[in-house]
Amino acid sequence: GAGVSQSPSNKVTEKGKDVELRCDPISGHTALYWYRQSLGQGLEFLIYFQGNSAPDKSGLPSDRFSAERTGGSVSTLTIQRTQQEDSAVYLCASSFRFGVNEKLFFGSGTQLSVL
Amino acid sequence: AQKVTQAQTEISVVEKEDVTLDCVYETRDTTYYLFWYKQPPSGELVFLIRRNSFDEQNEISGRYSWNFQKSTSSFNFTITASQVVDSAVYFCALSDNSGNTPLVFGKGTRLSVIA
């Protein structure tokens, strides 16, 4: 597809279960980002990948969160032992490269609800 | 530290009214970029504009205009003759070299345009 694709669009899970969220960036984009959007909190940076460099995990809120990017393309964000406070929209974005002036292209997000 | 403040949480206007969305930013860097993104109900953030710190010229694009004032660290966004399709959440964002976060977002302003 032409844009950033995220799946699933909605995920409902029970507290304590693990979830995986997937992001397929725009072809040719070397930088990939994950953000979290909670009600009234704006967009919170989680992690980004640039090419084959080690990812910047500085925004991950706890060690229950992890992400990987396979083959420099698709990325998976994993949340282990989910908690109710993890409920949010998880947005993925990509850009041609990582840089201060780069425009990000966003997916439609995954709405995660932890019951 | 980087910070973006959008003091208006929600704004409601009647169609054809003009509306200005405020954005105030903080950065220690001299080189930085400011962005506005629109998030319609579909959820996907859409890029509207990018402005670098050395260019203080105001910009107009159709019904949209942006007023960048370094003296007050503001980058305000005005929609002229608003339309129902303008209803969305609007995010202001900052990117600079002073931190690891690729793009720092404000909390967003929800604009409702009533017919």
Side-chain angles (χ1 to χ4, degrees):
Chain A
V4 176
S5 178
Q6 291 188 246
S7 60
S9 55
N10 279 283
K11 176 72 177 178
V12 180
T13 191
E14 293 179 352
K15 180 182 170 181
K17 296 278 175 97
D18 297 351
V19 295
E20 286 189 351
L21 312 180
R22 176 189 166 105
C23 173
D24 201 344
I26 292 173
S27 177
H29 280 192
T30 62
L32 185 148
Y33 316 77
W34 284 98
Y35 282 83
R36 179 168 70 176
Q37 184 176 17
S38 306
L39 201 59
Q41 294 302 312
L43 271 70
E44 174 190 7
F45 165 72
L46 298 177
I47 186 172
Y48 83 83
F49 299 84
Q50 167 53 39
N52 295 321
S53 303
D56 180 341
K57 307 178 183 180
S58 59
L60 293 179
S62 78
D63 58 10
R64 296 185 297 104
F65 288 73
S66 63
E68 63 178 22
R69 189 178 184 191
T70 53
S73 182
V74 173
S75 176
T76 302
L77 177 69
T78 301
I79 308 173
Q80 295 179 308
R81 305 180 303 281
T82 52
Q83 304 293 312
Q84 287 182 332
E85 63 260 27
D86 299 334
S87 296
V89 176
Y90 289 83
L91 291 165
C92 176
S94 69
S95 62
F96 181 68
R97 62 173 186 269
F98 178 78
V100 69
N101 63 338
E102 284 299 313
K103 180 169 71 175
L104 272 59
F105 295 80
F106 283 82
S108 296
T110 294
Q111 172 75 62
L112 175 65
S113 300
V114 182
L115 304 179
Chain B
Q2 309 153 295
K3 187 177 179 183
V4 176
T5 302
Q6 294 180 254
Q8 305 149 308
T9 307
E10 293 191 36
I11 301 177
S12 190
V13 299
V14 177
E15 204 171 21
K16 298 184 184 175
E17 284 185 352
D18 299 347
V19 58
T20 295
L21 310 182
D22 297 334
C23 173
V24 174
Y25 62 92
E26 293 176 31
T27 176
R28 294 177 188 161
D29 219 339
T30 54
T31 302
Y32 53 90
Y33 286 78
L34 295 162
F35 299 76
W36 276 94
Y37 283 83
K38 174 182 180 179
Q39 186 181 38
S42 63
E44 185 175 323
L45 274 79
V46 176
F47 168 84
L48 294 179
I49 190 172
R50 170 181 54 204
R51 174 53 53 86
N52 77 57
S53 52
F54 298 108
D55 181 4
E56 285 193 72
Q57 269 196 328
N58 290 333
E59 181 155 342
I60 298 175
S61 176
R63 296 184 297 105
Y64 295 172
S65 62
W66 290 269
N67 183 358
F68 177 30
Q69 302 233 345
K70 266 175 125 168
S71 60
T72 55
S73 296
S74 65
F75 187 44
N76 297 338
F77 172 31
T78 297
I79 302 174
T80 303
S82 58
Q83 299 176 2
V84 172
V85 293
D86 296 328
S87 297
V89 181
Y90 291 86
F91 290 95
C92 180
L94 164 72
S95 177
D96 66 19
N97 290 312
S98 66
N100 289 328
T101 307
L103 202 58
V104 175
F105 285 85
K107 293 188 176 182
T109 297
R110 180 177 298 278
L111 174 65
S112 298
V113 181
I114 304 164

